[in-house]
Amino acid sequence: MTPDDTVIADTRAWLERAVIGLNLCPFAKSVHVKGQVHYAVSHAATPQDLLPDLISELKYLAAMDAKLRDTTLLIAPECLHDFLDFNDFLAEADRALEDLALDGVLQIASLHPRYQFAGTAEDDITNFTNRSPYPTLHLLREDSIDRAVAAFPDPESIFEVNMQTMERLGQEGWAALKVDRTEPPVASSPHDTPKT
């Protein structure tokens, strides 16, 4: 199991170097600089265990003053490693939002280490716009999105610009950002110790 502080450090590095560094989300820098991004690590090993954590974080975000917490990254390092399973879970996540009567107040965006847009090959560099170090649910306030979009001259162009950015960067450029998850150290066995 990866320690929480490592999970958060990896996610913060990805946010700073990729999301903000490549300007993949023009709205991310402002909330990051103001300290309004909350990092929540779930220890859930199954989707069934992740759901109550998601519900709690949705309630916390809705109840908090936006000036203190504008957005939440709910990170699930121990489950939903398969992207199709993760994608299936999103329907449950949206149902939870509706059950809490928060549909239209909050929304959930999805980020995953193996994220794949429909109609793309798995190794297509454009998939990396949504590739985070760990399976992550990004909980956002609708009001904040509306304000950000209103202040941005051409929000429809963001997706297209991101695709061009990734194509220019390429696989090597992405690897150079060093935004993958930190692999836990492998425990050495007594047989690995060289004899003197």
Side-chain angles (χ1 to χ4, degrees):
M1 188 192 290
T2 310
D4 288 6
D5 56 352
T6 301
V7 172
I8 292 170
D10 287 349
T11 303
R12 188 178 279 120
W14 159 79
L15 179 70
E16 291 172 348
R17 296 176 200 164
V19 179
I20 295 171
L22 299 175
N23 202 29
L24 298 177
C25 175
F27 321 126
K29 185 175 182 179
S30 168
V31 290
H32 173 65
V33 167
K34 292 176 189 167
Q36 295 169 327
V37 180
H38 175 63
Y39 299 86
V41 180
S42 169
H43 299 127
T46 67
Q48 294 76 20
D49 293 337
L50 179 59
L51 196 56
D53 290 346
L54 170 62
I55 290 167
S56 294
E57 289 302 330
L58 287 167
K59 287 178 178 175
Y60 292 146
L61 183 60
M64 289 278 287
D65 184 333
K67 291 188 178 79
L68 299 174
R69 183 182 301 182
D70 189 75
T71 191
T72 295
L73 291 168
L74 175 58
I75 313 157
E78 308 304 327
C79 71
L80 295 172
H81 298 131
D82 182 273
F83 178 63
L84 294 179
D85 292 343
F86 177 77
N87 224 23
D88 289 344
F89 180 77
L90 297 178
E92 287 187 61
D94 284 335
R95 263 196 305 278
L97 202 57
E98 288 168 16
D99 291 346
L100 292 168
L102 291 173
D103 194 27
V105 178
L106 302 177
Q107 68 173 246
I108 303 169
S110 55
L111 304 153
H112 194 274
R114 310 225 45 94
Y115 197 96
Q116 187 172 354
F117 289 109
T120 63
E122 189 181 345
D123 63 350
D124 190 315
I125 190 64
T126 58
N127 291 319
F128 286 68
T129 60
N130 285 48
R131 288 200 178 172
S132 53
Y134 305 90
T136 300
L137 298 167
H138 185 190
L139 317 183
L140 303 116
R141 297 175 188 272
E142 292 273 6
D143 284 352
S144 297
I145 296 166
D146 292 344
R147 276 197 308 276
V149 167
F152 196 76
D154 186 13
E156 291 80 20
S157 69
I158 295 170
F159 180 80
E160 200 176 301
V161 169
N162 285 349
M163 298 301 109
Q164 292 166 358
T165 298
M166 298 311 292
E167 281 161 3
R168 275 196 310 273
L169 188 70
Q171 300 278 1
E172 283 185 19
W174 180 264
L177 293 174
K178 299 191 184 315
V179 291
D180 292 329
R181 69 188 292 164
T182 300
E183 292 303 325
V186 178
S188 59
S189 89
H191 305 295
D192 295 337
T193 311
K195 292 187 171 70
T196 52

